[in-house]
Amino acid sequence: KYKQKVPIHGRDEIAQLGNSIQTLGEQLQYYEESRNDFLAAVSHEIRTPLTYIKGYSDVLSKGIIKNREEQEEYLQIINKETNRLSFLVNDLFEMSKLQTGKFELTKEWTSINDIMEKIISNLKPVAEKKGLELWGELEEDLPLLYVDIRRMEQVFYNLIENGIKYTNIGGISVRSFSKRDLIGIEIKDTGIGIPQNNLPRIWERFYRVDSSRTRKTGGSGLGLYVVKQIIESHGGTITVKSTENEGSIFTIFLTIDQENKSRRNR
Ligand code: ADP
């Protein structure tokens, strides 16, 4: 007849434990699913440029195309797709270095405008192919910055490429300016925008806003994660403002080393 009574607080604890195990399970499942999505997305991202590179280089190597301009055009496509692959591989590499604590910066004095001009000219053909404008409004005589050049190129490549991917009409502008002891860089597009409730999560690894909306654009969900890590590792900040169906503005601030304010360029 004797029934052991579980004290109230004990039952609470068991219930709580049950809940946290369930939450943990859901989280694991979320990561498992996003990891599968991630692998599928990455495979797709790799396959597309590879198809172009293989196709056009096959045609060129057969020697059927005699027209010099046409050859030039094919070579440019191969070059553009190779760049795309190389930036994707860099993202993957950065992620693995961040995970294993092997992420280190190699800094040099450089003009941020030079980096942006390079990436703009790299991505201009991609924008134009979609009928989009891409232009820079770069303030002259900005102080030099002490940064990891390759990493900064990666940042602007990812942000501008996103602008192009998620914009259907209009274009993307890239602005640089100085503000007290900071250098600001703004990447603004007239694209689909990001819903307010998704905004806080876009910096997460693998995170992509509503897959049905973005599926056709392709993407790994890694770009913004890498961008934020790189900017923060330079002591900078990155923020976003976005309105659905109007566009997004990503703003970066980097500190100018006070002692070296006199080192100016262009
Ligand atoms: P992805 O490879 O999917 O582009 P990112 O990490 O670069 O991954 O971006 C995460 C998500 O944030 C994207 O899937 C997209 O939904 C959203 N996003 C990023 N940049 C923009 C933008 N400029 N306009 C609209 N949505 C964007």
Side-chain angles (χ1 to χ4, degrees):
K1 247 190 159 181
Y2 177 73
K3 249 196 196 160
Q4 196 187 353
K5 273 195 180 167
V6 179
I8 295 295
H9 71 270
R11 257 190 259 168
D12 271 3
E13 274 164 19
I14 291 170
Q16 252 173 31
L17 188 65
N19 281 341
S20 34
I21 290 175
Q22 193 180 347
T23 317
L24 191 67
E26 280 163 8
Q27 269 171 8
L28 281 176
Q29 192 175 351
Y30 167 76
Y31 279 112
E32 215 35 63
E33 276 168 20
S34 47
R35 210 161 291 186
N36 285 337
D37 286 352
F38 170 73
L39 283 178
V42 167
S43 313
H44 174 82
E45 290 289 284
I46 293 174
R47 200 180 312 134
T48 314
L50 271 184
T51 310
Y52 280 107
I53 295 168
K54 172 110 183 67
Y56 285 103
S57 59
D58 273 355
V59 171
L60 282 176
S61 66
K62 281 191 186 121
I64 319 162
I65 313 286
K66 302 278 185 245
N67 181 312
R68 187 83 192 93
E69 265 173 34
E70 224 173 314
Q71 290 177 351
E72 199 60 46
E73 189 191 326
Y74 286 8
L75 283 171
Q76 268 175 23
I77 295 172
I78 292 173
N79 193 263
K80 190 186 86 197
E81 296 300 328
T82 313
N83 277 337
R84 195 168 140 193
L85 267 185
S86 125
F87 277 99
L88 172 68
V89 171
N90 281 347
D91 272 347
L92 292 168
F93 208 45
E94 297 295 34
M95 179 185 73
S96 91
K97 279 194 235 162
L98 284 158
Q99 290 333 104
T100 52
K102 287 183 187 144
F103 183 84
E104 274 173 34
L105 299 173
T106 312
K107 294 184 179 179
E108 283 169 71
W109 287 103
T110 189
S111 147
I112 206 79
N113 284 354
D114 285 354
I115 297 182
M116 285 193 293
E117 270 170 6
K118 178 177 166 187
I119 301 301
I120 289 173
S121 73
N122 226 303
L123 284 171
K124 212 167 189 142
V126 184
E128 281 168 358
K129 207 173 160 206
K130 265 188 98 177
L132 299 173
E133 283 192 72
L134 169 60
W135 74 98
E137 295 166 20
L138 311 178
E139 188 178 301
E140 283 183 19
D141 291 328
L142 286 177
L144 296 183
L145 286 178
Y146 194 56
V147 294
D148 187 320
I149 298 176
R150 201 183 53 75
R151 255 66 176 248
M152 280 296 154
E153 288 177 357
Q154 189 84 23
V155 164
F156 298 122
Y157 186 94
N158 283 353
L159 290 175
I160 299 172
E161 196 200 28
N162 274 351
I164 298 170
K165 254 191 337 198
Y166 302 110
T167 300
N168 300 313
I169 311 163
I172 299 93
S173 65
V174 184
R175 199 163 74 85
S176 68
F177 55 95
S178 57
K179 193 179 171 184
R180 291 187 296 274
D181 60 339
L182 298 172
I183 284 186
I185 300 120
E186 190 184 272
I187 289 123
K188 185 173 170 186
D189 67 56
T190 55
I192 59 174
I194 303 162
Q196 226 47 38
N197 57 326
N198 295 301
L199 270 180
R201 298 199 57 191
I202 58 169
W203 311 105
E204 288 173 22
R205 217 155 45 113
F206 312 142
Y207 187 76
R208 310 196 68 213
V209 176
D210 176 16
S211 52
S212 65
R213 192 186 76 141
T214 48
R215 192 179 297 132
K216 53 181 183 301
T217 60
S220 61
L222 208 56
L224 288 181
Y225 166 77
V226 167
V227 163
K228 194 171 165 58
Q229 303 293 326
I230 293 176
I231 292 299
E232 289 180 351
S233 68
H234 282 84
T237 59
I238 177 162
T239 51
V240 59
K241 283 202 190 106
S242 191
T243 312
E244 256 186 293
N245 303 317
E246 277 186 27
S248 313
I249 309 176
F250 287 85
T251 310
I252 292 172
F253 279 111
L254 294 163
T255 331
I256 303 164
D257 188 339
Q258 290 298 315
E259 276 173 51
N260 292 285
K261 250 189 164 170
S262 54
R263 290 209 201 196
R264 283 174 189 270
N265 152 295
R266 286 203 307 153

